[in-house]
Amino acid sequence: EAQVTQNPRYLITVTGKKLTVTCSQNMNHEYMSWYRQDPGLGLRQIYYSMNVEVTDKGDVPEGYKVSRKEKRNFPLILESPSPNQTSLYFCASNPKTGSSYNEQFFGPGTRLTVL
Amino acid sequence: AQSVTQPDIHITVSEGASLELRCNYSYGATPYLFWYVQSPGQGLQLLLKYFSGDTLVQGIKGFEAEFKRSQSSFNLRKPSVHWSDAAEYFCAVGAPSGTYKYIFGTGTRLKVLA
């Protein structure tokens, strides 16, 4: 089944304790992206990657890191989480053929609480 | 700066009534436009998209949207709403400049009355 998977789905942690949220897609998509969803703010793009070893900042990159060492994986790293990073996080991918946009496929989400 | 505005935070309609969700965008050129739906506790699913051509776009689940360049709008419509349509709806813009950044609106939560 074609899908985007995220782990963990739920995480409660404390301020300053480094964490990684994994994202993996099995569709051989070039493009992957991370979003956070907050009430009243919709989805905001954190980072995106157009291919292996190519990443770029979205609109809210502060406090986050990403890496793209393999095509299928795009982990989101919080080196020192703070309470304002409590949010619902979504990973997404799309095939990025040529210069056209395509549908983004979203993972199920990771609900993160930072105490 | 690029932006997407969904002016209605909440909308309530009766089952069987028609629906229109508004979306306005701000961008220098015609962007790529999307509508996504998020059911409670779920990820986002694409309803429809517009890149070019016919300005009336048909999507899944009986939804359609019309692109109006003069109004910078991409409103989502459905002639007859079903109770299962209760969800949050997001309009999104993809910039055709090659940056592959996406901008989402703040969402409209739809409630359907039986």
Side-chain angles (χ1 to χ4, degrees):
Chain A
E1 179 189 356
Q3 59 182 349
V4 178
T5 57
Q6 296 178 226
N7 284 292
R9 294 289 312 280
Y10 302 90
L11 179 60
I12 300 175
T13 189
V14 296
T15 299
K17 185 177 182 182
K18 180 179 178 180
L19 67 92
T20 299
V21 183
T22 64
C23 174
S24 183
Q25 49 93 5
N26 62 3
M27 296 168 280
N28 202 36
H29 286 172
E30 293 181 1
Y31 180 97
M32 298 185 74
S33 182
W34 275 103
Y35 297 86
R36 60 177 291 173
Q37 182 179 14
D38 302 289
L41 298 177
L43 277 81
R44 294 178 292 167
Q45 196 169 31
I46 302 171
Y47 271 95
Y48 62 97
S49 168
M50 290 190 279
N51 215 326
V52 175
E53 302 292 1
V54 180
T55 63
D56 209 345
K57 297 177 181 179
D59 291 322
V60 289
E62 296 77 21
Y64 303 95
K65 285 176 57 178
V66 293
S67 68
R68 188 89 182 275
K69 297 189 186 331
E70 306 168 280
K71 199 171 189 179
R72 64 182 292 127
N73 296 323
F74 190 45
L76 179 69
I77 303 157
L78 285 71
E79 295 268 4
S80 183
S82 62
N84 65 13
Q85 293 178 298
T86 293
S87 187
L88 179 59
Y89 291 86
F90 287 102
C91 181
S93 73
N94 81 25
K96 188 177 82 71
T97 55
S99 61
S100 300
Y101 274 89
N102 288 285
E103 170 187 359
Q104 288 195 84
F105 293 82
F106 283 83
T110 295
R111 185 166 293 281
L112 172 65
T113 302
V114 183
L115 302 175
Chain B
Q2 302 161 23
S3 65
V4 177
T5 301
Q6 293 180 248
D8 303 307
I9 298 173
H10 294 98
I11 283 186
T12 300
V13 299
S14 297
E15 191 170 20
S18 63
L19 172 70
E20 181 170 31
L21 302 182
R22 295 182 290 166
C23 173
N24 293 93
Y25 66 90
S26 172
Y27 191 70
T30 300
Y32 300 92
L33 297 160
F34 306 84
W35 274 100
Y36 286 86
V37 60
Q38 183 181 31
S39 298
Q42 303 296 313
L44 279 77
Q45 180 185 20
L46 181 74
L47 284 175
L48 47 79
K49 59 189 178 185
Y50 173 79
F51 291 167
S52 64
D54 193 345
T55 56
L56 185 63
V57 180
Q58 301 297 321
I60 63 172
K61 304 185 181 188
F63 285 92
E64 66 179 26
E66 185 172 13
F67 169 63
K68 293 186 177 180
R69 184 191 306 273
S70 61
Q71 298 177 19
S72 297
S73 68
F74 188 56
N75 294 348
L76 182 71
R77 301 194 294 246
K78 187 169 185 178
S80 178
V81 170
H82 188 263
W83 64 265
S84 60
D85 293 324
E88 190 155 22
Y89 292 81
F90 291 95
C91 181
V93 163
S97 63
T99 63
Y100 287 90
K101 289 184 69 174
Y102 290 83
I103 299 172
F104 281 77
T106 52
T108 298
R109 186 170 295 278
L110 174 66
K111 182 177 179 180
V112 180
L113 301 177

